[in-house]
Amino acid sequence: MKLELADFPVKQIRVGNRFKYENELLEVDEGELIALVLEDTRITDAALAVAVPGEKTRITGIRDIVEPRFKVAGGGQVFPGVLGAVENVGDGRTHRLSGMTVIAAAEYEGTIRAGTTVQRNAILDMSGPGAEIARFSSCRHLVLSFRIAPGLGELDAHGAIQSAEYKVAERLGQVTAELSPVEIATYDLSKKDPALPNVMLVQGCITDPQHVHSGVGYYGLSLRNSMSTFVHPNELFDGAVTVDTTRSGRGYYPTTWDWQNHPLVLELYAAHGKSLNFGGVVLQRIRFETSHGKEVGAQNAARLAKAMGADGALITWIGGGNAFVDVMLTVRACEQNGIKTTLVTYENGGKEGKDSPVLFYIAEANAIVSTGSLDKVIELPAMDKVIGPYEQIKIFPFPGAALMPARGALSLEARDVMMGGADIWGQGEFRCAEY
């Protein structure tokens, strides 16, 4: 597959009564977008607002973040299986509006009140200490705030949120359909240098098979008890991998934007044909409930990578807790199959950085890249403005958690409470210092 990703940078967003893109200014027709969202009877009302870097603004109720894209050539359309039919994507040409996002900020109180599958939302500060660590604070955002009809279950609510944000994102991308891009990046794995090692990305995906949505979708289908799956990296650029929008508000869960702009995929592509041959992506289900399941899942991922000709594997993951055991066992299984590995992971080192940085060790994991710690306390100052459905927020999702004024100062016990506050795949620019 060969995909051209055509870039249309956005440095200003203006809400008005027409669609136009010119000189890095995107004008959007507010009435048309609101009408598009309200076609879904599961959504009761909606509003648009713009958030820009440096403003003393806090966005609440964030369920997902997506980059506007529109397919102008090739098979299928962006977000296949969600907006349209299940058709292969990853070839042809796709337009992107870079430097901006659509934020889905939805008011919804789920039916699941506790546990790993509880519904979550997140906040984002556009200035101050929070903006210094959250990767999304440097973007311009079109914030779509809306309310979900009462009484909806988790899957219905997820479908309403995801459909709304993707419709808006595709419509914005469509504005550029007849325009010439600033730049075109070409992604093609067909040419390989036989003298270079073949390297794959093994992407662990924490899943919850007991929940109505496992947390990761592929062409709109929730991944459950599946074994490892080969995915062409171009499919990610066209939105074939998606998230659960009722509980994506946790710093170590990726947003749709993260899948569209996966930093490890982009870096492996940049090295393709130069220092390595990029062999593609293995999506691996992790967080099996038993040791037996974890061993089978790890061996399966390693065997698939080996069958695809991998000499090396970059291994990373989504999630927390016992899912990390699956990840480490995958490192071991790859090494046992002759595949050299490097693990990319965040740390849990405690508030003072003195605790064990990772939850489980094996001897074979001798090449690890840290993307930083989740556990640092963050003090957020009061903001002048709040965008989103909540004027009062819960920092933690458990029953009985206190409501706090969204506009006021907040003390966060960990970075993963803020959307984009945890650097899951090396997107950020954290540095370490030795004392």
Side-chain angles (χ1 to χ4, degrees), residues 358-405:
V358 294
L359 303 174
F360 180 68
Y361 291 90
I362 60 167
E364 292 85 351
N366 55 15
I368 302 177
V369 176
S370 170
T371 61
S373 174
L374 299 185
D375 294 333
K376 300 298 183 182
V377 174
I378 311 167
E379 301 295 335
L380 302 180
M383 294 285 120
D384 292 340
K385 182 171 66 172
V386 170
I387 298 175
Y390 293 111
E391 291 292 332
Q392 290 187 309
I393 58 176
K394 289 182 179 180
I395 298 301
F396 297 103
F398 53 75
L403 286 169
M404 306 183 69

Coordinates of all heavy atoms in Angstrom, one line a residue, residues 358-405:
V358 N 9.0 0.0 37.1 CA 8.1 -0.8 36.3 C 7.6 -2.0 37.2 O 8.2 -2.3 38.2 CB 8.8 -1.4 35.1 CG1 9.1 -0.3 34.1 CG2 10.0 -2.2 35.4
L359 N 6.5 -2.6 36.8 CA 5.8 -3.5 37.7 C 6.3 -4.9 37.7 O 6.0 -5.7 38.6 CB 4.3 -3.5 37.3 CG 3.6 -2.1 37.3 CD1 2.2 -2.2 36.8 CD2 3.6 -1.5 38.7
F360 N 7.0 -5.3 36.7 CA 7.4 -6.7 36.5 C 8.7 -6.7 35.7 O 8.8 -6.0 34.7 CB 6.3 -7.5 35.9 CG 6.6 -8.9 35.7 CD1 6.8 -9.8 36.7 CD2 6.7 -9.4 34.4 CE1 7.0 -11.1 36.5 CE2 7.0 -10.8 34.2 CZ 7.1 -11.6 35.2
Y361 N 9.7 -7.5 36.1 CA 10.9 -7.5 35.4 C 11.2 -8.9 34.8 O 10.8 -9.9 35.4 CB 12.1 -7.2 36.3 CG 12.2 -5.7 36.8 CD1 11.5 -5.4 37.9 CD2 12.9 -4.8 36.1 CE1 11.6 -4.1 38.4 CE2 12.9 -3.5 36.5 CZ 12.3 -3.1 37.7 OH 12.3 -1.8 38.1
I362 N 11.9 -9.0 33.7 CA 12.5 -10.2 33.3 C 14.0 -9.9 32.8 O 14.3 -8.8 32.4 CB 11.7 -10.9 32.1 CG1 11.7 -9.9 30.9 CG2 10.4 -11.3 32.5 CD1 11.2 -10.6 29.6
A363 N 14.8 -10.9 32.8 CA 16.2 -10.7 32.5 C 16.4 -10.3 31.0 O 17.3 -9.5 30.7 CB 17.0 -12.0 32.7
E364 N 15.5 -10.8 30.1 CA 15.6 -10.5 28.7 C 15.3 -9.0 28.3 O 15.7 -8.6 27.3 CB 14.7 -11.4 27.9 CG 15.1 -12.9 27.9 CD 14.5 -13.6 29.1 OE1 14.0 -12.9 30.0 OE2 14.6 -14.8 29.1
A365 N 14.7 -8.3 29.2 CA 14.4 -6.9 29.0 C 15.6 -6.0 29.3 O 15.6 -5.3 30.3 CB 13.1 -6.5 29.8
N366 N 16.6 -6.0 28.4 CA 17.8 -5.3 28.7 C 17.9 -4.1 27.9 O 19.0 -3.4 27.8 CB 19.0 -6.2 28.5 CG 19.1 -6.9 27.2 OD1 18.4 -6.5 26.3 ND2 19.9 -7.9 27.0
A367 N 16.9 -3.7 27.1 CA 16.9 -2.5 26.3 C 15.5 -1.8 26.5 O 14.5 -2.2 25.9 CB 17.2 -2.7 24.9
I368 N 15.5 -0.8 27.4 CA 14.2 -0.2 27.7 C 14.3 1.3 27.6 O 15.3 1.9 28.1 CB 13.7 -0.5 29.2 CG1 13.6 -2.0 29.3 CG2 12.4 0.2 29.5 CD1 13.2 -2.4 30.7
V369 N 13.4 2.0 26.9 CA 13.3 3.4 26.8 C 12.2 3.9 27.7 O 11.0 3.5 27.4 CB 13.2 3.9 25.3 CG1 13.0 5.4 25.3 CG2 14.3 3.4 24.5
S370 N 12.4 4.8 28.6 CA 11.4 5.4 29.4 C 10.8 6.7 28.8 O 11.6 7.5 28.3 CB 12.0 5.7 30.8 OG 11.0 6.5 31.6
T371 N 9.5 6.8 28.9 CA 8.9 8.0 28.4 C 8.5 8.9 29.6 O 7.8 9.9 29.4 CB 7.7 7.7 27.6 OG1 6.7 7.0 28.4 CG2 8.0 6.9 26.3
G372 N 9.0 8.6 30.8 CA 8.7 9.5 31.9 C 7.8 8.8 32.9 O 7.2 7.8 32.7
S373 N 7.6 9.5 34.1 CA 6.8 9.0 35.2 C 5.4 9.5 35.2 O 5.2 10.7 34.8 CB 7.5 9.3 36.5 OG 6.7 8.9 37.6
L374 N 4.4 8.7 35.6 CA 3.0 9.2 35.7 C 2.8 9.8 37.1 O 1.7 10.4 37.2 CB 2.1 8.0 35.5 CG 2.1 7.2 34.2 CD1 1.0 6.2 34.3 CD2 1.9 8.1 33.0
D375 N 3.6 9.6 38.0 CA 3.2 9.7 39.4 C 3.5 11.1 40.0 O 3.3 11.3 41.2 CB 4.0 8.7 40.3 CG 3.5 7.3 40.0 OD1 2.4 7.1 39.5 OD2 4.3 6.3 40.2
K376 N 4.0 12.0 39.2 CA 4.3 13.3 39.8 C 3.1 14.2 40.1 O 2.1 14.2 39.3 CB 5.2 14.1 38.8 CG 6.5 13.4 38.5 CD 7.4 13.2 39.7 CE 8.8 12.6 39.4 NZ 9.6 12.4 40.6
V377 N 3.1 14.8 41.2 CA 1.9 15.7 41.6 C 2.0 17.0 40.7 O 3.1 17.5 40.5 CB 2.0 16.0 43.1 CG1 0.9 17.1 43.5 CG2 1.9 14.8 43.9
I378 N 0.8 17.4 40.3 CA 0.8 18.7 39.5 C -0.2 19.6 40.2 O -1.3 19.2 40.5 CB 0.3 18.4 38.1 CG1 1.0 17.3 37.4 CG2 0.4 19.6 37.2 CD1 0.4 16.8 36.2
E379 N 0.2 20.8 40.4 CA -0.7 21.9 40.9 C -1.1 22.8 39.8 O -0.3 23.4 39.1 CB 0.1 22.7 42.0 CG 0.6 21.9 43.2 CD -0.5 21.3 44.0 OE1 -1.7 21.8 44.0 OE2 -0.3 20.2 44.7
L380 N -2.4 22.8 39.5 CA -2.9 23.6 38.4 C -3.6 24.9 39.0 O -4.4 24.8 39.9 CB -4.0 22.8 37.6 CG -3.5 21.5 37.0 CD1 -4.7 20.8 36.3 CD2 -2.3 21.7 36.1
P381 N -3.2 26.0 38.4 CA -3.8 27.3 38.9 C -5.3 27.4 38.4 O -5.7 26.7 37.5 CB -2.9 28.4 38.3 CG -2.4 27.7 37.0 CD -2.2 26.3 37.3
A382 N -6.0 28.4 38.9 CA -7.3 28.7 38.4 C -7.3 29.2 37.0 O -6.3 29.8 36.6 CB -8.0 29.7 39.3
M383 N -8.3 29.0 36.2 CA -8.4 29.4 34.9 C -9.5 30.5 34.8 O -10.4 30.6 35.6 CB -8.8 28.3 33.9 CG -7.7 27.2 33.8 SD -6.3 27.7 32.8 CE -5.0 27.6 34.0
D384 N -9.4 31.4 33.7 CA -10.3 32.4 33.5 C -11.6 31.9 32.8 O -12.7 32.5 33.0 CB -9.7 33.5 32.6 CG -8.6 34.3 33.3 OD1 -8.6 34.3 34.6 OD2 -7.8 34.9 32.6
K385 N -11.5 30.8 32.1 CA -12.6 30.3 31.3 C -12.7 28.8 31.3 O -11.6 28.2 31.3 CB -12.5 30.9 29.8 CG -13.6 30.5 28.9 CD -13.5 31.2 27.6 CE -12.4 30.8 26.7 NZ -12.4 31.4 25.4
V386 N -13.9 28.3 31.2 CA -14.1 26.9 31.1 C -14.9 26.6 29.9 O -15.9 27.2 29.6 CB -14.8 26.3 32.3 CG1 -15.3 24.8 32.1 CG2 -14.0 26.4 33.6
I387 N -14.4 25.6 29.0 CA -15.1 25.2 27.9 C -15.5 23.7 28.1 O -14.6 22.9 28.6 CB -14.3 25.3 26.6 CG1 -13.9 26.8 26.3 CG2 -15.0 24.7 25.4 CD1 -13.0 26.9 25.1
G388 N -16.7 23.3 27.8 CA -17.1 21.9 28.0 C -18.3 21.8 28.8 O -18.9 22.8 29.3
P389 N -18.8 20.6 29.0 CA -20.1 20.4 29.6 C -20.1 20.5 31.1 O -21.2 20.5 31.7 CB -20.5 19.0 29.1 CG -19.2 18.3 29.0 CD -18.2 19.3 28.5
Y390 N -19.0 20.5 31.8 CA -19.0 20.4 33.2 C -18.4 21.7 33.8 O -17.3 22.1 33.5 CB -18.1 19.2 33.7 CG -18.7 17.9 33.3 CD1 -18.1 17.1 32.4 CD2 -19.8 17.4 33.9 CE1 -18.6 15.8 32.0 CE2 -20.4 16.2 33.6 CZ -19.7 15.4 32.7 OH -20.2 14.1 32.3
E391 N -19.2 22.3 34.7 CA -18.7 23.4 35.5 C -18.1 22.9 36.8 O -17.3 23.6 37.5 CB -19.8 24.4 35.8 CG -20.2 25.2 34.6 CD -19.1 26.2 34.0 OE1 -18.3 26.6 34.9 OE2 -19.1 26.5 32.8
Q392 N -18.5 21.7 37.2 CA -17.9 21.0 38.4 C -17.4 19.7 37.9 O -18.0 19.0 37.1 CB -18.9 20.9 39.5 CG -19.3 22.2 40.2 CD -20.2 21.9 41.4 OE1 -21.2 21.2 41.3 NE2 -19.8 22.5 42.5
I393 N -16.3 19.3 38.4 CA -15.6 18.0 37.9 C -15.2 17.1 39.1 O -15.0 17.6 40.2 CB -14.4 18.3 37.0 CG1 -13.4 19.1 37.7 CG2 -14.9 19.0 35.7 CD1 -12.1 19.4 37.0
K394 N -15.1 15.8 38.7 CA -14.5 14.9 39.6 C -13.1 14.6 39.1 O -12.9 14.2 38.0 CB -15.3 13.6 39.7 CG -16.6 13.7 40.4 CD -17.3 12.3 40.4 CE -18.6 12.3 41.1 NZ -19.3 11.0 41.1
I395 N -12.1 14.7 40.0 CA -10.7 14.4 39.6 C -10.6 12.9 39.4 O -9.9 12.4 38.6 CB -9.7 14.9 40.6 CG1 -9.8 16.5 40.6 CG2 -8.3 14.5 40.2 CD1 -9.6 17.1 39.3
F396 N -11.3 12.1 40.3 CA -11.3 10.7 40.3 C -12.7 10.1 40.0 O -13.7 10.7 40.4 CB -10.7 10.1 41.6 CG -9.3 10.5 41.8 CD1 -9.0 11.5 42.8 CD2 -8.2 9.9 41.2 CE1 -7.7 11.9 43.0 CE2 -6.9 10.3 41.4 CZ -6.7 11.3 42.3
P397 N -12.8 9.0 39.3 CA -14.1 8.5 38.8 C -14.8 7.7 39.8 O -16.0 7.3 39.6 CB -13.8 7.7 37.6 CG -12.4 7.2 37.8 CD -11.7 8.2 38.6
F398 N -14.2 7.4 41.0 CA -14.9 6.4 41.9 C -16.1 7.0 42.6 O -16.2 8.2 42.7 CB -13.9 5.9 42.9 CG -13.1 6.9 43.7 CD1 -13.7 7.6 44.7 CD2 -11.8 7.2 43.4 CE1 -13.1 8.6 45.4 CE2 -11.1 8.2 44.1 CZ -11.7 8.9 45.1
P399 N -17.0 6.2 43.1 CA -18.2 6.7 43.7 C -17.9 7.5 45.0 O -17.0 7.1 45.7 CB -19.0 5.4 44.1 CG -18.5 4.3 43.2 CD -17.0 4.7 42.9
G400 N -18.6 8.6 45.2 CA -18.4 9.4 46.3 C -17.3 10.4 46.2 O -17.0 11.2 47.1
A401 N -16.6 10.4 45.1 CA -15.5 11.4 44.9 C -16.1 12.8 44.8 O -17.2 13.0 44.3 CB -14.8 11.2 43.5
A402 N -15.4 13.7 45.5 CA -15.9 15.1 45.6 C -15.9 15.9 44.3 O -15.0 15.7 43.5 CB -15.1 15.9 46.7
L403 N -17.0 16.7 44.1 CA -17.0 17.6 43.0 C -16.2 18.8 43.3 O -16.3 19.3 44.4 CB -18.5 18.0 42.6 CG -19.3 16.9 42.0 CD1 -20.8 17.3 42.0 CD2 -18.8 16.6 40.6
M404 N -15.5 19.3 42.3 CA -14.7 20.5 42.5 C -15.0 21.5 41.4 O -15.3 21.1 40.3 CB -13.2 20.2 42.5 CG -12.8 19.1 43.5 SD -11.1 18.8 43.5 CE -10.5 20.3 44.2
P405 N -15.0 22.8 41.7 CA -15.2 23.8 40.6 C -14.2 23.7 39.5 O -13.0 23.7 39.8 CB -15.0 25.2 41.4 CG -15.2 24.9 42.8 CD -14.7 23.5 43.0

